[in-house]
Amino acid sequence: MELELNRSNGPFSLEHTLDCGQLFRWQKLNDWWYGVVTDRVVKIKQNNQTLCFQCFPETKNHGFIENYLRLDDNLNSVLSKICKDSYMQKAVDRFCGLRLCRQEPWECLISYICATYKSIPAIKKMIANISRCFGKKLTFDGTNFYTFPKPNKLAQISPKDLRSCGLGFRAERVLKTAQLIDNGELILEDLKHLDYHKAKRKLLGVPGVGHKVADCVLLFSLEKLEAFPIDVWMKRAATKLYANHFDSSFIQRITGKGSLTPKEYETVSSFGRDYFGEYAGYAQEYLFHYLRTLNQL
DNA sequence: ACATCCCCTTAGCC
DNA sequence: AGGCTAAGGGGAT
């Protein structure tokens, strides 16, 4: 299937979008990107303004790809709002066309609980292990792919079996969260209809979810584009690039030490929201990817 | 080879 | 309340 990109919605780069660290399920084989999105394998390639893709099993939902890749966002408008300084400008120039994706909330939540204190390659491995062990196999183009298991499936697994996927102490948190979602105690879709702060408050009650994980889930799967997740890279951005936006005593206090207290986290994160505006989450992702691949700072 | 540090942090204890 | 620390293990240097 072919899809012509709508130029008036601004640039799009499949490579930067799939490889910027927001997603853990994509791999490049030969010339194509393969990923599992909810219940299907997606094979996709970009030729300038054309996206060639195939889904397995096929879907009748013609908007599936546009929706997942947020092709409906007017990226020119987003970029014009977040380009506040030369750092952002560099990041945007370097990774022009990077877009956020609309992830499936359940998989997104579990993925970022697993992401706690882990590197991206390790996170990918954990998610792949969970899917291979407990998901549904889909064979496509001679390769085996696995869907991410549903809450009712994950909720029944023993902590020991989850740990064997390389989750370590995250296993119990994932398990409790799966049970809570399976019970219907929390309905992730409902959070889309709450404002950012109320939705975040609810997520903070979920095992394994602190401020950082909550902001990632809100940004990547619950339509809260003002969410501004603060990880080690964004902390570095705050202390090295944006120090003049904070008290020097604050910068001194958070420089060098490991994790931020909830209050410190909120100080840095709300700076991002205020400074970059309603699309702060886009700014975060550009900066994050830029700094992470810069290999310095 | 080998050590050391880092990793898209959270929870529990004081 | 806020500061300290433990918690898998792999990947990078």
Side-chain angles (χ1 to χ4, degrees):
Chain A
M1 202 116 67
E2 291 201 348
L3 172 63
E4 276 307 300
L5 293 167
N6 178 358
R7 287 174 191 275
S8 62
N9 276 351
F12 174 72
S13 163
L14 184 67
E15 191 92 4
H16 296 154
T17 298
L18 298 183
D19 204 32
C20 71
Q22 63 178 322
L23 302 165
F24 305 114
R25 295 276 267 158
W26 290 89
Q27 51 182 312
K28 203 171 190 179
L29 297 172
N30 304 317
D31 230 7
W32 294 84
W33 282 97
Y34 288 83
V36 180
V37 180
T38 314
D39 291 323
R40 44 184 44 86
V41 182
V42 179
K43 172 186 183 183
I44 189 166
K45 163 167 89 165
Q46 177 172 20
N47 291 324
N48 302 314
Q49 284 299 111
T50 308
L51 284 180
C52 307
F53 67 95
Q54 195 179 347
C55 297
F56 177 79
E58 286 184 12
T59 172
K60 291 188 169 61
N61 177 2
H62 195 264
F64 174 66
I65 291 291
E66 292 95 317
N67 182 64
Y68 180 70
L69 298 173
R70 296 197 77 102
L71 298 177
D72 51 321
D73 282 339
N74 186 328
L75 197 59
N76 286 330
S77 160
V78 170
L79 297 181
S80 71
K81 285 176 184 163
I82 63 173
C83 275
K84 299 277 188 187
D85 53 61
S86 61
Y87 307 119
M88 266 308 302
Q89 190 59 55
K90 274 185 200 155
V92 164
D93 290 345
R94 173 71 185 82
F95 293 108
C96 183
L98 186 163
R99 284 170 188 253
L100 296 170
C101 289
R102 282 192 183 88
Q103 299 186 42
E104 199 266 311
W106 155 248
E107 180 174 338
C108 184
L109 173 62
I110 299 301
S111 297
Y112 280 91
I113 291 174
C114 291
T116 297
Y117 209 63
K118 275 283 186 186
S119 62
I120 290 174
I123 300 161
K124 288 181 176 172
K125 203 165 279 181
M126 282 189 277
I127 304 304
N129 288 341
I130 294 174
S131 301
R132 184 169 34 77
C133 293
F134 309 112
K136 201 171 67 178
K137 189 203 284 189
L138 295 170
T139 304
F140 178 63
D141 278 1
T143 305
N144 289 334
F145 297 89
Y146 299 87
T147 63
F148 192 78
K150 303 294 179 199
N152 62 351
K153 174 71 179 176
L154 216 49
Q156 299 173 46
I157 293 160
S158 71
K160 188 162 119 346
D161 289 342
L162 258 185
R163 276 180 177 257
S164 73
C165 292
L167 271 69
F169 61 85
R170 299 162 195 81
E172 284 78 9
R173 299 172 181 177
V174 165
L175 205 55
K176 280 188 199 163
T177 298
Q179 287 158 359
L180 183 148
I181 298 291
D182 187 38
N183 288 341
E185 278 179 67
L186 177 67
I187 298 166
L188 290 169
E189 287 295 326
D190 288 353
L191 302 182
K192 287 184 182 171
H193 308 299
L194 301 179
D195 69 40
Y196 165 73
H197 292 284
K198 283 184 180 149
K200 183 164 179 179
R201 193 46 56 193
K202 292 243 184 197
L203 278 176
L204 287 174
V206 175
V209 178
H211 286 265
K212 157 67 171 58
V213 172
D215 277 331
C216 286
V217 175
L218 290 165
L219 177 61
F220 300 135
S221 73
L222 295 170
E223 299 291 322
K224 307 305 179 206
L225 298 190
E226 70 268 49
F228 195 78
I230 307 301
D231 67 325
V232 287
W233 293 100
M234 295 312 292
K235 201 188 85 175
R236 279 169 208 160
T239 57
K240 311 259 183 181
L241 308 180
Y242 296 102
N244 58 331
H245 294 267
F246 303 88
D247 288 344
S248 61
S249 62
F250 177 78
I251 295 298
Q252 260 178 18
R253 181 148 44 92
I254 68 169
T255 301
K257 72 179 223 167
S259 54
L260 302 173
T261 66
K263 200 182 215 172
E264 290 162 348
Y265 182 100
E266 188 50 29
T267 300
V268 180
S269 185
S270 65
F271 152 72
R273 260 193 307 291
D274 295 342
Y275 180 68
F276 292 111
E278 60 182 316
Y279 298 114
Y282 259 104
Q284 192 273 357
E285 206 54 21
Y286 272 93
L287 271 179
F288 169 76
H289 192 40
Y290 181 63
L291 297 177
R292 198 172 62 86
T293 52
L294 208 58
N295 208 18
Q296 58 176 59
L297 200 75

